[in-house]
Structures are given as C-alpha cells and as structure tokens.
Amino acid sequence: MKGTEPAERPERPTLVILAAGRSTRFGRAKQLEPVGPGGASLLEYAIHDALRAGFGRFVLVVRESRRHEFDARLAPLRRAGVALSFACQRLAHADLVPLPPPGRVRPWGTGFAVLAAAAALPRRGPFAVCNADDFYGRAAYESLARSLAAPPPGVRAFTVSYPLAGTLSAFGGVSRGLCEMKPDGTLLRMTEGLDLRLEREATRTGSGAEATAAVGRSAVTGTTTAGTSIRVDADSQACMGLWGFFPEILPLLAERFRAFLAACPGADDEFYLSEAVSHLAAAGRARCGLLPSGKGWMGLTFPGDRAGAAASLRQLTTAGAYPADLRTSPVHPEPAPRAQAPPVHPLQAPRRGVAIAPGRINLIGEHLDYNGLSVLPMALERNIRLEFEVLRQPAVELTGDADHGPFAFRLDRPIEPAPQGHWSNYVRAAAKGLLDHDVELKRGIGGKVAGTVPVAEGLSSSSALVVASALALLHANGKHVEVLELAALLARAERFVGLQGGGMDQAASLCGAKGHALRIDFGPLRVTPVPVPEGWRWVVASSLARAKKAGSAREPYNERRAQCAEALERLGRASWLEVVQADEVEFASIVAGGRRSLPPTLWRRFRHVATEGRRVIEAEAALRREDMAAFGSLMNASHASLRDDFGVSTAALDEIVEVARDAGAAGARLTGAGFGGCAIALCRESRAEGVMGALREHFYAPRGGVGEAALFVAAASGGATVTC
Ligand code: NG1
C-alpha cells in the first residue's frame, strides 16, 4: 500500500552575504557598523528580512582575519537556530587560482566572492546573493524568493533593480550595475558604471531617495570599467548586488573567471558579478529576470551615508516594520515560498527572437582541430542572423536570400538530410544535434536567415548558421546547454553534412571575445581568450574561388583527415599532442623517424601537422608579448606548410599572400580549410590601407574588381547571442 507521503517541500533558498569588502571609501570596516536604533547592522537587517521572506540558510563570505569578529557578533542568531556558516574569501582558490599573480593584493571582486561561497552552498536549491552593507528591504527578498520558487521558463538568474537616482550618494561617486532590459523583462545587458553622480550635483541635499526628490528627473554621469565616460538617464534601473541564482550558474561563473584571468588582469581589475552575468545573458547562456523593486534602497559607501540610513531605519521602526532591538528579537520565519506562486514580474515565454552567430578567421593552426591540437582563431564582426518567431508546432520553416530558398522540416520526425549542398542541412544538423543530445524541442521556429559572412570562403559561415539555429531552437524551447558542451555537440552535429570537421568553428562562434583571439584546446574542449595587441590589423582577402565544404572540397578535406590518422598510427604514436609537446631532441627524433618510414604523401601531411602544432604554441606566446613580427613569420611558415606539405592552397591564395607581403604585411597565410576561400594578412594599422590597395591593384583589378565582402579588415568580436 502506498503510504501518505508528505507533499515534497520546496527548497528554501540560501542567502550568500558578501562581507569581505575592504570598505576603503567608508574608512573603517562597515559591515558590522551599527545603524539601526538598537545598534543592529545592515547585515542583521538583511538576515531578518530574508528569514521572514522564507530563506532557510545563510553563508557569509568574509575575510579570514575578520571571521571571529563576525562569528562572535552573530552568535545570538545561531543560538536562535539560524543556519549560518562562513566562507573565507582568499586570493588563492584550489581550482581557479592555485597561485595568485605576484603583486595581487586587491580581492578578485564580487563574482569571485560568489565562487568562494560555492563549497558552503547546498548542492541543490536556489540561492541569493547580497552585499552586507546594503539595505534592500523585506519586499525585495520576498520578490526574489517567489521568483526563485517559480522561475519563468528558461530564466536561471534574477536581480532586483532600483531606479538609479535613488541609489546615489550625496557624498561621492558610487559604482552600480546599469541595467538594460529586453521587452520580456529579462536583462539585455548590464554595464558596471563607476564614479556615478547626478549631473545636477549642485542642487542635491541628501542621499538615496531623498536626493531624487530634490532634483527630479536628471542624468547620471560616470565611467565604465574601461574608463569611457557615460551619461545615463537617472530613471534607468540599477542593480544593487541583490541576485537570485540556481546552482547551474556556478560552473558558468567559474568559466568566466578563467576567461578573466586569461586576459591577464591588472592588479586593480576586478571580476564583477554584474559583468559576468551580463556576458552570460548576452550570450544567451543564462537568462536573467529583472525584478524592479517598488521600494527604495539604502547603503553605506561613504561615512556621510550613515546618518541618512539611520534616520530611515528609525522611521521604519517607529512605523512598526522592525522591532526596536532587532538583534535580540526573535525572528519568525515565514513558510517556504510556494512553488506555484506567480513571479512578481511575470515573464512571458519568448514569442520571437534574433540569434546572431559570428563567422571567424583562423589566425594560425590549420587542419589541427580534428587532430586534437590547439588552434588560434578569432570571431568576426560579420555574422549570420536568424530572426525567428516561436512556432507552437515542432517544425522549422525558414527562408534565406535569393540563393537560399525556403525550406521546412519537422522536429518530431526523424531528421533526414536534404540533397548534398542544400543550406537547410546546417539547420537540420543543429536540430538533430540537440535532439540527439536529449534536448526536448516541442516548439519550432519560423523566420528568415540573412548574413554578412561570405558563404564558402573559409570564414565559417556554415558553423555560424549551425550555431544560430541551435541558439534559436534552445531559446524557443526555454532550454539551456552549457556553452562548451553546446560547441562540442554542434561540432559533431555538423558532420551531418558529410565533412568530418573538427570543432574550431563552432567553439569560435559561440565563445568569441571582443578584442581577443581564442586559443581553443580539444579533448576536453577549452577556450582561452588571448588579447590582440593594439595597432595591428588582419586584412581578409577572398581568392574569389569558393571552397564548398559540402561539395567539391569535401572529399579532399576528409582525405587529409584520414591521412593524418594513418601517419600517426604508422608511427605508433597515441596522439598528436604527444608529438607536438615533445622536447626538442625527442621532436627531432620523431620527425626523423617519420621521414624514414612514411610514404612521401603521408610524410608531408605528418610534417605539416607536427610543425603547425608547434607554431600555434609559439604564436600564442608571440601574441601575448606583442611580438607581431614573430607572429607574422609564423603565419608565413604556416602558409608554406599548407601549400607544400598539406596541399590545400591554390595559385590564387598564393598570389594574395605574396602581394600582401610585398606591400608590407608582417605575414600572410590562407585561413580555413583552403581549396579556395580566403587569405589573411597581418599588418600594422597604418599599413592596412596600403596592403588592401596593393591587393585591389594587383590581384582584384585584373579579375574585374571586388566589393567590400571580398576584401575587409577583421575586428575580433564577441560570441553568438540570442535576444528577444
Ligand atoms: P572552414 O574552412 O571554415 O570550413 C574547416 C573545418 C574546421 C577546420 C578547418 C581547417 C568545419 C565546419 N570546419 O573550416 O573544423 O578543420 O577547416 O583548419 O568542419
């Protein structure tokens, strides 16, 4: 007999309180500063409000040196049965920064503080994050708790937002997360604004909400973390550091932190939670709901802020909102938030959207990805754009341009390929890849595809289409797949078109980083952004011959892949990595062995992969030390190897490379698989026009001239996004 089991109780959320800040502007440790009428700190108000809103446990992120102080102060709460634990924020972290860079003293920032709390969080169940020195009010915690109990489809993060003007201080500039919202109420982007002040400073008298009343509508000025001046509407929404999350955010944050570290941050650069969530939201990897707060906010940035906060708390206490001595008054937690409660800010399932996925150039490391070796591409500003409407039925109905006619297929029947070379195969590949990965696609998409990446030019228009299609389908169905997992599954999926490709293009399109090249490693897939030095440009030049990877280039490409595998096997080597990472002596002996034992063609294929693998390592080092002359020489060697050993260049590509070098490029090479497509030339910014002029004159004019699609300067762009 089935017993009467109690209905499953929803998980009470945990509140992570960030209390490790250095209080530099406040002048003394402010997290335990007595502010309430009975001497309670804002941190104690946060715990009080959160308990009443149904939060079940608390994790305080503190500096090790102050842990005892917090412990002693909060002991009465523990004795009253409040589940409270500590996480110490250090500069080192076993997995993320085993050894902090020399000279780093400043904490890593709010995003890192959350990662420091991860080990103290329950494995399941949502959590919220707040700052110890901010007062958000009970309604904010209630709104967050309700939304975490019943998140709208696909939303995996929340932030409570406040009108910007009401969050400023009369005593100096403050930092705030400036929110831009999509029409469905989710976050489009958040920019960390620094030194924010009301423009009409002279008329101000108080701080917080009082100040807003004093000046009415106005603008707020400040700078971004990159130092650019900004001016925003005083009514815009600001994030004050009160967030709600599900545990899936933690690996995504860790990944963003690794990318932050890889970009060699300066001693004062911080990994802001706001910027990390903004990046994940823009990339379509963590939809973040905005919960606009009806009530005011107050906090302590400068010593002068204290008086205003104390006065407000006195008023609230007199009005009966809080007990006079909050520190000794028992708290009566509310029941856990009910899962069926509607979210405060109802979000609709998306009805339409736009998925945009960039193409890429590969700076160096050709025909290496399918051999498991690292490559160094960069995402382009040119992209594939899929504007879609969400369909109720599981079908895909898309149209393209004049060369790419309409097609349709169902998602609830086996997905069969269209005839070889048909563009729908890339969309089919994306859908099949997701379905094979057990992603349920109940809703379809209808819409149109347009693009600025030239097709079949080795700039990865095909993978950009695969990525855009996958993001649109995921978005339409409120599903999420972690980005590297998505890149890997789409690389496998794209083989549906018959090309046994590697995984470079899908990863580059998904993980592009503005101003950065990407080192992509395989097995397991990892992406590390590498900054591109200022003052250098890559000119992209089409050979005017299409390299159709779903057509004529397919067999020679697959043949190369098979030859590489055979060469490795004949040499009795387990992996190419082992060859490429050998020391000088060992490498020379492997190469000598290859020359002796392999038939001529396999020997040449072998030599290309082995030397190109080592060139990528050297090229990344050259890029990091901004030695672009060395980078250019490596590009030249790469081209020679692709031409002479790998046999994938063409006379036109060789000619472009030569003209560009003669015109002053530091290096030039074919990019992508070859067999036609494009070449790239590295040149100083001041030489780019000269190099393009020489190409126009010597290569394109005799062939009847070219348009802007065939000859342009590449700019390293961010990765694929999907927005409503
Ligand atoms: P292009 O040329 O962009 O189609 C192809 C492969 C890459 C890589 C390069 C050669 C696909 C989708 N693309 O790129 O994986 O192997 O050739 O380095 O398979």
Side-chain angles (χ1 to χ4, degrees):
M1 193 186 87
K2 207 164 185 285
T4 46
E5 288 168 21
E8 201 189 323
R9 297 189 60 185
E11 304 264 355
R12 282 178 186 275
T14 301
L15 180 63
V16 176
I17 305 176
L18 306 186
R22 295 195 302 170
S23 313
T24 30
R25 285 174 293 183
F26 197 71
R28 58 180 184 270
K30 58 182 171 176
Q31 293 89 0
L32 295 175
E33 176 80 16
V35 190
S41 61
L42 295 188
L43 154 60
E44 285 152 312
Y45 279 90
I47 296 176
H48 180 93
D49 282 335
L51 276 171
R52 292 179 69 183
F55 281 72
R57 12 166 122 235
F58 299 84
V59 177
L60 258 96
V61 182
V62 295
R63 273 182 292 144
E64 204 148 24
S65 56
R66 297 195 62 211
R67 183 192 161 135
H68 287 305
E69 201 185 329
F70 280 98
D71 209 5
R73 169 72 177 242
L74 302 175
L77 283 173
R78 283 223 239 221
R79 281 197 295 275
V82 175
L84 197 92
S85 57
F86 290 94
C88 287
Q89 188 185 332
R90 303 181 178 95
L91 279 179
H93 182 290
D95 301 329
L96 298 166
V97 251
L99 210 59
R104 180 86 201 186
V105 183
R106 199 187 178 97
W108 288 112
T110 45
F112 183 80
V114 174
L115 291 168
L121 285 170
R123 286 238 311 263
R124 293 182 50 230
F127 65 96
V129 176
C130 74
N131 294 324
D133 49 358
D134 288 326
F135 175 93
Y136 304 94
R138 181 171 157 195
Y141 293 99
E142 284 172 345
S143 151
L144 206 47
R146 276 200 300 270
S147 300
L148 286 169
V155 175
R156 307 311 284 161
F158 295 97
T159 187
V160 178
S161 63
Y162 296 80
L164 177 60
T167 72
L168 301 175
S169 169
F171 304 96
V174 295
S175 309
R176 304 287 179 243
L178 305 172
C179 305
E180 289 167 70
M181 216 160 76
K182 294 184 200 167
D184 70 349
T186 60
L187 184 72
L188 171 65
R189 170 178 327 111
M190 191 180 299
T191 312
E192 188 69 23
L194 308 181
D195 198 22
L196 296 168
R197 302 159 192 261
L198 267 177
E199 205 166 44
R200 289 159 54 191
E201 197 80 271
T203 60
R204 311 194 59 223
T205 50
S207 66
E210 220 180 283
T212 329
V215 299
R217 280 165 170 252
S218 183
V220 173
T221 57
T223 65
T224 64
T225 51
T228 322
S229 299
I230 42 174
R231 187 171 180 279
V232 283
D233 192 336
D235 286 341
S236 53
Q237 293 289 308
C239 159
M240 300 307 303
L242 181 57
W243 299 89
F245 295 115
F246 295 89
E248 307 94 275
I249 199 76
L250 294 168
L252 298 178
L253 277 184
E255 186 194 305
R256 292 301 315 147
F257 182 67
R258 288 198 178 95
F260 165 82
L261 281 187
C264 304
D268 283 340
D269 290 340
E270 290 186 39
F271 175 59
Y272 292 103
L273 183 57
S274 55
E275 288 190 346
V277 176
S278 172
H279 186 283
L280 293 169
R285 299 171 59 200
R287 259 179 103 208
C288 176
L290 232 63
L291 305 171
S293 153
K295 300 268 166 54
W297 160 96
M298 58 196 171
L300 303 178
T301 304
F302 300 97
D305 294 327
R306 191 185 170 283
S312 302
L313 288 178
R314 242 190 336 270
Q315 262 174 26
L316 286 167
T317 309
T318 313
Y322 293 100
D325 188 356
L326 186 104
R327 297 196 55 220
T328 50
S329 305
V331 184
H332 301 292
E334 294 290 304
R338 287 176 302 125
Q340 65 273 28
V344 168
H345 186 72
L347 303 170
Q348 292 155 1
R351 307 261 312 268
R352 55 181 60 83
V354 183
I356 299 178
R360 60 103 189 95
I361 51 173
N362 188 15
L363 305 183
I364 195 157
E366 225 58 85
H367 290 273
L368 295 190
D369 56 355
Y370 55 75
N371 288 311
L373 293 177
S374 307
V375 294
L376 200 62
M378 120 189 164
L380 292 176
E381 266 171 3
R382 300 187 175 225
N383 51 44
I384 295 289
R385 181 185 170 89
L386 198 173
E387 282 179 31
F388 62 94
E389 234 179 287
V390 179
L391 305 180
R392 284 185 182 282
Q393 69 277 21
V396 173
E397 297 167 5
L398 295 178
T399 59
D401 57 15
D403 294 340
H404 299 88
F407 67 84
F409 65 91
R410 303 277 308 184
L411 294 163
D412 55 353
R413 309 214 180 107
I415 297 179
E416 302 295 345
Q420 187 182 335
H422 194 275
W423 73 290
S424 73
N425 281 336
Y426 295 105
V427 185
R428 291 169 199 264
K432 185 164 170 9
L434 292 173
L435 291 166
D436 290 350
H437 196 73
D438 291 333
V439 179
E440 206 180 14
L441 300 177
K442 285 194 170 154
R443 280 180 261 169
I445 51 170
K448 63 173 195 289
V449 177
T452 50
V453 200
V455 174
E457 294 274 12
L459 302 181
S460 197
S461 58
S462 63
S463 301
L465 177 56
V466 171
V467 166
S469 308
L471 289 181
L473 284 167
L474 284 169
H475 192 68
N477 287 279
K479 304 283 183 194
H480 171 78
V481 177
E482 197 273 323
V483 72
L484 293 180
E485 196 180 331
L486 184 61
L489 91 83
L490 292 180
R492 288 192 298 276
E494 198 174 327
R495 296 191 192 129
F496 180 76
V497 303
L499 188 87
Q500 296 302 309
M504 161 168 69
D505 302 348
Q506 302 79 4
S509 185
L510 278 163
C511 302
K514 203 170 165 46
H516 289 72
L518 309 165
R519 191 195 76 225
I520 304 182
D521 309 313
F522 300 90
L525 184 63
R526 277 203 349 209
V527 179
T528 310
V530 185
V532 170
E534 292 287 319
W536 289 87
R537 295 285 180 269
W538 273 276
V539 168
V540 183
S542 165
S543 67
L544 304 177
R546 289 190 157 194
K548 291 196 173 158
K549 253 51 82 3
S552 58
R554 189 167 88 172
E555 290 321 314
Y557 180 100
N558 289 344
E559 185 189 30
R560 300 292 183 290
R561 183 177 176 139
Q563 288 167 334
C564 293
E566 191 184 340
L568 192 69
E569 199 187 321
R570 280 189 184 226
L571 289 177
R573 296 280 158 184
S575 77
W576 283 103
L577 217 53
E578 175 186 318
V579 174
V580 164
Q581 289 178 349
D583 64 29
E584 288 303 327
V585 178
E586 162 100 47
F587 185 71
S589 117
I590 299 173
V591 169
R595 189 195 301 271
R596 255 196 329 272
S597 62
L598 293 173
T601 304
L602 287 195
W603 153 241
R604 293 205 314 277
R605 305 296 185 250
F606 169 81
R607 187 166 58 178
H608 167 71
V609 176
T611 57
E612 184 83 346
R614 286 166 87 94
R615 280 190 285 273
V616 171
I617 298 170
E618 287 179 46
E620 184 193 345
L623 202 56
R624 288 193 185 275
R625 59 173 198 275
E626 305 196 0
D627 183 350
M628 301 312 272
F631 197 99
S633 306
L634 291 162
M635 288 175 70
N636 291 341
S638 167
H639 185 79
S641 176
L642 287 160
R643 180 190 61 211
D644 304 335
D645 282 349
F646 219 62
V648 294
S649 190
T650 62
L653 285 167
D654 295 345
E655 197 179 327
I656 292 177
V657 163
E658 213 164 295
V659 172
R661 280 188 214 151
D662 288 349
R669 59 183 289 276
L670 69 84
T671 190
F675 315 109
C678 289
I680 52 171
L682 169 66
C683 39
R684 283 195 184 279
E685 191 176 359
S686 54
R687 292 247 170 100
E689 224 2 271
V691 169
M692 296 213 288
L695 286 168
R696 275 189 210 103
E697 186 185 339
H698 301 296
F699 184 81
Y700 295 112
R703 291 165 173 83
V706 270
E708 195 260 340
L711 182 65
F712 61 93
V713 175
S717 94
T721 57
V722 57
T723 50
C724 295

